[in-house]
């Protein structure tokens, strides 16, 4: 095993910033592909775009991590192999985590986005 490039306590912080960036990018994609205004009320189309983005982005991150030999998840009974890429396993659990995260994050975004005025209404 190679030594970590940073202190072990720095990794969760960096991981949080990385995931936060990915979620914000997902919000930008939803806003760019949805009728205006976005995130005003529950919208199945927004949720589906956000979910599709989450699944594709997680898979790409894992494929790039495998390609550049950054990390690989170890298959187990609770994290089964989906397929192999360059001889390394791509597993189910990260996909499930991002699936659940979108279902948790979308309502949070709806709650935090300030209510917008109706067209023609002056606040």
């Amino acid at each position: 095993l190679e030594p970590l490039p940073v202190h072990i306590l720095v990794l969760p912080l960096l991981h949080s910033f990385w995931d936060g960036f990915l979620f914000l990018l997902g919000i930008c994609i939803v806003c760019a592909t949805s009728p205006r205004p976005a995130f005003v009320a529950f919208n199945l189309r927004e949720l589906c775009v956000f979910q599709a983005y989450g699944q594709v982005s997680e898979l790409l991150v894992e494929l790039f991590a495998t390609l550049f030999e950054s990390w690989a998840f170890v298959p187990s009974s609770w994290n089964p192999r989906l397929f192999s890429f360059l001889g390394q396993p791509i597993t189910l659990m990260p996909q499930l985590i991002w699936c659940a995260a979108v279902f948790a994050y979308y309502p949070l975004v709806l709650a935090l986005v300030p209510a917008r005025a109706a067209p023609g209404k002056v606040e």
Side-chain angles (χ1 to χ4, degrees):
L1 290 173
E2 300 267 336
L4 293 174
V6 295
H7 191 276
I8 188 78
L9 296 178
V10 175
L11 290 178
L13 180 65
L14 293 176
H15 187 88
S16 296
F17 280 122
W18 172 255
D19 281 351
F21 169 76
L22 290 175
F23 272 119
L24 289 175
L25 185 58
I27 287 175
C28 291
I29 290 171
V30 169
C31 287
T33 60
S34 296
R36 300 284 178 195
F39 299 108
V40 174
F42 177 82
N43 182 314
L44 184 60
R45 185 179 187 283
E46 288 177 353
L47 180 61
C48 289
V49 169
F50 206 14
Q51 190 61 255
Y53 163 78
Q55 293 302 298
V56 169
S57 67
E58 194 295 317
L59 185 59
L60 286 174
V61 165
E62 198 167 344
L63 292 173
F64 276 105
T66 301
L67 180 66
F68 295 109
E69 299 178 348
S70 301
W71 75 82
F73 292 102
V74 178
S76 66
S77 60
W78 52 269
N79 189 22
R81 176 189 312 256
L82 289 173
F83 60 91
S84 291
F85 178 69
L86 300 177
Q88 295 295 320
I90 302 299
T91 60
L92 177 63
M93 190 56 66
Q95 293 296 140
L96 293 178
I97 289 170
W98 271 85
C99 181
V102 168
F103 284 118
Y105 194 69
Y106 182 72
L108 182 63
V109 171
L110 291 179
L112 293 176
V113 171
R116 294 180 176 90
K121 180 180 175 186
V122 178
E123 288 188 25

